[in-house]
Amino acid sequence: MRNSLLLCVLLLMGFWPYQAPAQSISEQLSTLDELRLKDFAEFRRTLAELADTLKPEALNPTEQQYLNLLKAYDLTARGDFSTALDMLEQTELRPDSHLSLRMTGLKVNIYALSFRYTDAFINIEQLLNALPALNNANEYYQLVGQIIVLFNNIERYDLSKQLVQRGLNLTDSSSLVCRLNSFGL
């Protein structure tokens, strides 16, 4: 009885050593991807730690593609467009993969930020063709952002507003509504 009482007291006081189950690599990358949108400094720090601990041979092709996408986002934010583009170009794209579309979207974004509009438009067709099939608000948001940046840069605000409105129609998430509205003019 005394041991049971002691165990209950320890559990209630939080002294019981508890270890949360380890996240899979895919879950870690997904968590990191969401962190990128909320706290970029923490994203950058966590990405560096994760990249240092992961062994490339331990990653399946999708996980490697996801890690490269996240590294390319970091490089883009740092203004290292050339290295980010090299990383995106060297990553093996998987056909019909949402990650491949996101990589193409990041290329469009880099080209738009670099005022390389011809290169941006060469890549944007693939994204525009994929948008009508997207019914998941998160996936839509991840692709539409780069397209809207390009359309805003060339002052096609009417097209940007249409894309924002479709995204707003797909979601009830206040976070995504806020993010999408930030694209609107």
Side-chain angles (χ1 to χ4, degrees):
M1 175 75 173
R2 184 172 180 208
N3 286 342
S4 296
L5 183 59
L6 181 61
L7 179 61
C8 286
V9 169
L10 287 174
L11 285 173
L12 289 173
M13 294 177 64
F15 291 121
W16 188 260
Y18 170 76
Q19 293 208 349
Q23 285 185 315
S24 71
I25 292 171
S26 293
E27 290 169 331
Q28 290 177 57
L29 294 170
S30 181
T31 299
L32 191 56
D33 197 11
E34 187 60 30
L35 182 62
R36 173 183 64 84
L37 300 172
K38 296 177 181 174
D39 184 348
F40 203 81
E42 182 64 19
F43 161 77
R44 184 173 279 160
R45 185 192 64 73
T46 307
L47 175 63
E49 287 176 5
L50 185 63
D52 287 344
T53 60
L54 290 177
K55 296 178 181 166
E57 61 273 4
L59 302 175
N60 66 41
T62 301
E63 293 166 340
Q64 186 62 57
Q65 185 180 22
Y66 204 173
L67 180 61
N68 287 351
L69 174 65
L70 296 175
K71 287 179 179 180
Y73 275 122
D74 181 44
L75 290 165
T76 302
R78 293 174 190 250
D80 191 350
F81 299 155
S82 177
T83 306
L85 281 172
D86 287 344
M87 179 173 287
L88 293 170
E89 293 294 334
Q90 292 172 9
T91 300
E92 181 181 335
L93 299 181
R94 302 170 64 75
D96 299 323
S97 160
H98 181 69
L99 288 174
S100 295
L101 289 172
R102 287 185 61 196
M103 292 181 112
T104 301
L106 184 53
K107 282 193 242 179
V108 168
N109 193 26
I110 292 169
Y111 292 139
L113 293 171
S114 303
F115 304 104
R116 295 171 53 186
Y117 296 118
T118 302
D119 292 325
F121 279 107
I122 288 170
N123 287 274
I124 204 168
E125 184 177 355
Q126 181 182 4
L127 299 178
L128 290 172
N129 289 337
L131 285 180
L134 292 178
N135 294 318
N136 178 295
N138 285 322
E139 290 179 359
Y140 182 86
Y141 171 76
Q142 291 168 341
L143 289 182
V144 79
Q146 287 82 10
I147 299 169
I148 290 172
V149 167
L150 177 61
F151 285 163
N152 285 344
N153 283 347
I154 62 167
E155 299 181 7
R156 288 303 311 266
Y157 306 118
D158 56 328
L159 296 173
S160 295
K161 286 180 181 181
Q162 289 174 16
L163 294 171
V164 168
Q165 188 57 52
R166 176 149 189 274
L168 293 172
N169 292 340
L170 287 174
T171 188
D172 292 331
S173 164
S174 60
S175 175
L176 282 179
V177 167
C178 181
R179 291 175 190 171
L180 285 164
N181 280 327
S182 71
F183 287 129
L185 302 172

